[in-house]
Amino acid sequence: VSNANFSSEPELKALFIKANEGHNASYNSFLLKVSGLLRGYFRKRLQSVPFEVEDLVQEVLMAIHNQRHTYNPDYPVTAWLYGIARYKVIDLYRRQNRAEHIDIDDAEDLLGFEEREAQDAQHDVSALVEQLPAKQREAIERVKLEGLSIAEAAAASGQSESLIKVNIHRGLKKLAELMKSQSS
Amino acid sequence: MKTESLIDMLSRSAHESKPQRSPWLPLGLLLAGAGGTLLLTLVLYKLNPDLLAIAASGWFWLRFGFLLSLGLLAWVCLSQLGNPGRAQSTRLWWLALPSVVMGLIALVMLFNAPPNERVTMLLGTTWKVCSMSIAFLAVPLFAAAVAIVRGFAPTRLKATGAVLGLFSGALAALIYTLHCPELHPAFLVVWYGIGMLIPAALGWLLGEKLLRW
């Protein structure tokens, strides 16, 4: 069924593979679809703490980005996404010392209804970017927020191109950690 | 920040290469850990002077195969546990296979031996120090394995920690065989088994602390 509110494994996989080949637009629609799936999945599982849902969606998006090298295209992308989503729910419970048991479910559960309507997250990513070390912050602001290319950002900031890449990578890792420590 | 702005931010970087993870890094870490264990073995325990003589025996190679296959199986399980899409379907019972085979051989041999020799088969000459030596020698390999697995994305932290410990224990035991004179399967299953289970238990207990991401 190809409905705007449904995503299928082949569709998601094709998008993710194109994204990993360097296609920004595919990556954007992949992350949009995935955020919808995650929101639906987390809403069902975090009914006692609905305000955590959007934070967790963002945390998982960061994890997907930082861990995308661990995806092996021989296996379903849904299973990979589900593995990360499930891990992050369990991790949230652990952080809050809640003994709640996570249902035995499977990857198929992720392909439910997409929840497009986002609530605001509790944490503010732009405020978190401010907390990063200067070079990482600069690289992320220039490339991610202002949309410059790596070469342009390198010229504008005086960092070399490879340094810009490294600082973006480190900055995003650090950002994921800041998110995690803030919501605990 | 709205989730959509975060997505915009992340999706600008599809054109960047994926985070570079050199395949040499895990190998280098592993070699460093194994080197540490080897050094400790040679300095604190010394090479077995009869090494060449016992290497001619099939029992030596049975012991070698037991530990090597356990180490390889643990590695396969670790690389699956480190992948979010495959961790749930990792078959951990495979790890029992080498010990079950050794255990069966040991039982047959014990059963066929005269009763007064059975105790010697089980205790050898070094049973008091064997397990603790292996657990101790596993320390550098354990540290290396933690560093390697932290580059993965494990989603079952306790299980991953335990397999990581077993992996370091099996490799440490393999290196310890350069010193250890014991070859009897009954001895190996019991004392080597305990020696390898100690780092595995430690990994189980520390997994959530060491491997969180």
Side-chain angles (χ1 to χ4, degrees):
Chain A
V1 189
S2 180
N3 179 301
N5 274 335
F6 284 94
S7 298
S8 64
E9 165 65 28
E11 187 190 0
L12 286 173
K13 189 171 178 170
L15 282 174
F16 196 39
I17 288 174
K18 278 198 88 172
N20 279 336
E21 286 165 359
H23 201 262
N24 283 353
S26 301
Y27 197 28
N28 195 289
S29 42
F30 173 78
L31 290 175
L32 265 179
K33 280 179 185 299
V34 168
S35 68
L37 294 174
L38 291 171
R39 200 169 289 123
Y41 180 78
F42 291 148
R43 282 225 177 126
K44 254 191 286 171
R45 273 153 195 81
L46 299 174
Q47 280 169 359
S48 56
V49 280
F51 46 90
E52 297 279 6
V53 168
E54 208 55 34
D55 284 17
L56 207 57
V57 169
Q58 294 193 1
E59 209 179 288
V60 172
L61 291 176
M62 290 294 289
I64 288 169
H65 184 76
N66 286 333
Q67 299 292 346
R68 65 205 144 117
H69 62 280
T70 67
Y71 175 62
N72 175 348
D74 294 341
Y75 296 89
V77 71
T78 324
W80 184 80
L81 291 169
Y82 166 76
I84 296 179
R86 184 175 189 279
Y87 169 70
K88 286 293 180 182
V89 176
I90 294 173
D91 190 56
L92 179 73
Y93 286 166
R94 202 185 295 134
R95 267 184 269 159
Q96 301 183 334
N97 277 323
R98 292 197 298 156
E100 252 170 88
H101 185 69
I102 181 147
D103 298 340
I104 310 272
D105 46 14
D106 61 21
E108 293 300 311
D109 287 11
L110 196 59
L111 292 179
F113 199 68
E114 273 181 49
E115 194 65 60
R116 288 292 173 99
E117 241 163 274
Q119 278 146 3
D120 277 351
Q122 298 177 87
H123 53 228
D124 181 350
V125 179
S126 18
L128 291 179
V129 170
E130 298 292 315
Q131 295 181 31
L132 295 176
K135 301 237 159 176
Q136 294 173 12
R137 194 185 68 213
E138 186 178 21
I140 287 187
E141 280 175 349
R142 301 239 188 232
V143 178
K144 303 292 182 185
L145 303 175
E146 296 166 22
L148 298 187
S149 73
I150 300 281
E152 288 164 345
S157 67
Q159 302 183 40
S160 72
E161 289 190 24
S162 54
L163 206 55
I164 290 276
K165 284 188 200 164
V166 168
N167 278 329
I168 290 176
H169 179 53
R170 290 195 185 142
L172 290 179
K173 282 245 146 120
K174 180 92 189 152
L175 207 54
E177 268 167 35
L178 288 175
M179 276 185 181
K180 206 160 62 179
S181 58
Q182 229 201 11
S183 55
S184 54
Chain B
M1 186 188 255
K2 299 254 190 231
T3 300
E4 289 196 3
S5 333
L6 178 71
I7 290 174
D8 284 341
M9 177 175 118
L10 294 179
S11 60
R12 289 222 176 95
S13 49
H15 62 278
E16 290 158 27
S17 49
K18 286 192 267 179
Q20 293 298 316
R21 211 168 287 271
S22 157
W24 300 108
L25 183 66
L27 192 66
L29 285 166
L30 189 61
L31 286 178
T37 296
L38 183 65
L39 200 70
L40 287 176
T41 307
L42 294 180
V43 171
L44 298 177
Y45 292 89
K46 312 280 186 261
L47 207 62
N48 183 347
D50 299 327
L51 189 64
L52 282 180
I54 62 171
S57 124
W59 299 111
F60 178 88
W61 294 103
L62 181 67
R63 180 178 67 174
F64 182 83
F66 166 55
L67 299 170
L68 185 68
S69 61
L70 192 54
L72 287 176
L73 283 173
W75 177 254
V76 171
C77 284
L78 264 189
S79 60
Q80 291 185 8
L81 286 168
N83 185 317
R86 304 181 65 197
Q88 289 299 325
S89 58
T90 306
R91 296 196 183 97
L92 293 176
W93 56 263
W94 278 38
L95 292 170
L97 219 59
S99 309
V100 168
V101 171
M102 273 314 249
L104 288 176
I105 297 174
L107 280 180
V108 170
M109 291 179 75
L110 284 173
F111 186 76
N112 288 325
N116 59 343
E117 281 178 23
R118 287 180 189 157
V119 175
T120 325
M121 287 173 147
L122 265 171
L123 299 185
T125 54
T126 63
W127 67 277
K128 279 185 189 159
V129 294
C130 177
S131 302
M132 284 321 286
S133 300
I134 289 174
F136 165 68
L137 289 172
V139 171
L141 279 159
F142 188 93
V146 168
I148 292 171
V149 174
R150 282 179 64 91
F152 300 166
T155 51
R156 297 165 64 188
L157 301 187
K158 278 177 177 289
T160 309
V163 177
L164 175 162
L166 188 66
F167 173 72
S168 61
L171 291 196
L174 193 62
I175 293 172
Y176 180 64
T177 63
L178 294 173
H179 161 81
C180 174
E182 310 286 353
L183 292 175
H184 203 287
F187 181 95
L188 298 177
V189 165
V190 177
W191 305 109
Y192 273 53
I194 294 174
M196 295 185 286
L197 284 176
I198 293 171
L202 203 68
W204 171 269
L205 291 173
L206 296 180
E208 290 183 351
K209 270 208 158 54
L210 295 174
L211 303 175
R212 246 191 96 200
W213 51 280

